[in-house]
Amino acid sequence: MQDPLLSQALNLHPWNLDQVLDDLNEFGFALIDDVYSNDYVRTLAHECTSHLAEFRAAGVQNGVVSHIRSDHILWINGQLPLAQQHIQTLEHLSQALNQAFYLGIKEVEAHFACYNAGEFYALHRDNPQQKNDRMISTVFYLHEHWQDDWGGQLRLQDKNGQWHIIQPLANRLAIFQSDLLHEVLLSKQQRLSITAWLRSGHSIWHG
Ligand code: OGA
Ligand code: MN
């Protein structure tokens, strides 16, 4: 069954929401390929690259340098209209997830991420021991194409303890429970994405 809300949203190719819900239920993660039209992904990637000068090192918090991650990020706000469209899609997805799993998602929080050659994000959970209100993590990959030997894979342990290696293919959306263990393997090329969290509370301000 297609969800008309989701299919209507933006340039979505129709895809099977039931399969996504089944996969999330069984494994705690799901992949959707060819989410949008190629035109939309190209213009979204352009929005990302045209703002690269404003990206900040993600591994620096309160002036302290972390060695866990080396990517650069830009929080998404109203100044980034194409990224906002993706957030709208995720808001529709949140409604479907709330209906299916009673997750109580209220907010979508998102940033662009850029990994330059040699950058990575070591093993972590986005929501360790329910420390924050991130329920579901999503990553959308928006570089033009990706080769298997470029690294930069998302390596993720599903809710049954099984490990998966996910190629960051353009126009692919990875969706997973925020409490799952995962990492980004060292990337040999510039790797562009939007990470977004579906949250059960209201957002905090990112300065
Ligand atoms: C993150 C993250 C995974 C990816 O941003 O927290 O784990 O594939 N990203 O980019
Ligand atoms: Mn993460």
Side-chain angles (χ1 to χ4, degrees), residues 78-188:
Q79 313 296 306
L80 300 163
L82 289 157
Q84 282 293 342
Q85 290 186 36
H86 174 58
I87 291 179
Q88 274 177 34
T89 305
L90 296 177
E91 285 167 352
H92 289 299
L93 177 66
S94 300
Q95 290 179 26
L97 295 179
N98 281 345
Q99 277 167 28
F101 304 121
Y102 308 103
L103 293 180
I105 296 162
K106 295 201 187 74
E107 272 275 308
V108 176
E109 166 194 50
H111 63 58
F112 280 119
C114 174
Y115 292 74
N116 288 313
E119 297 184 342
F120 62 91
Y121 193 159
L123 266 186
H124 68 282
R125 300 174 206 269
D126 294 345
N127 185 1
Q129 287 137 16
Q130 264 90 60
K131 280 223 165 65
N132 58 51
D133 56 15
R134 292 170 172 172
M135 308 298 290
I136 298 286
S137 302
T138 71
V139 190
F140 180 70
Y141 303 105
L142 49 111
H143 32 252
E144 282 267 339
H145 63 278
W146 197 263
Q147 288 180 18
D148 283 358
D149 60 352
W150 284 357
Q153 297 94 343
L154 168 61
R155 186 168 165 270
L156 176 116
Q157 187 179 41
D158 72 23
K159 70 185 228 187
N160 310 312
Q162 204 71 24
W163 285 95
H164 302 264
I165 293 195
I166 298 156
Q167 291 290 347
L169 297 183
N171 211 358
R172 165 175 276 182
L173 182 67
I175 306 170
F176 54 97
Q177 291 176 200
S178 295
D179 59 352
L180 295 179
L181 200 53
H182 61 283
E183 67 183 324
V184 178
L185 302 179
L186 190 143
S187 186
K188 296 181 188 164

Side-chain angles (χ1 to χ4, degrees), residues 1 5 9 12 14 19 26 43 49 73 87 101 103 112 141 144 174-175 183 198-199 206-207:
M1 186 197 80
L5 261 185
L12 273 180
Q19 186 64 50
E26 196 173 341
T43 52
T49 52
I73 63 168
I87 291 179
F101 304 121
L103 293 180
F112 280 119
Y141 303 105
E144 282 267 339
I175 306 170
E183 67 183 324
L198 317 185
R199 300 166 45 138
H206 303 284

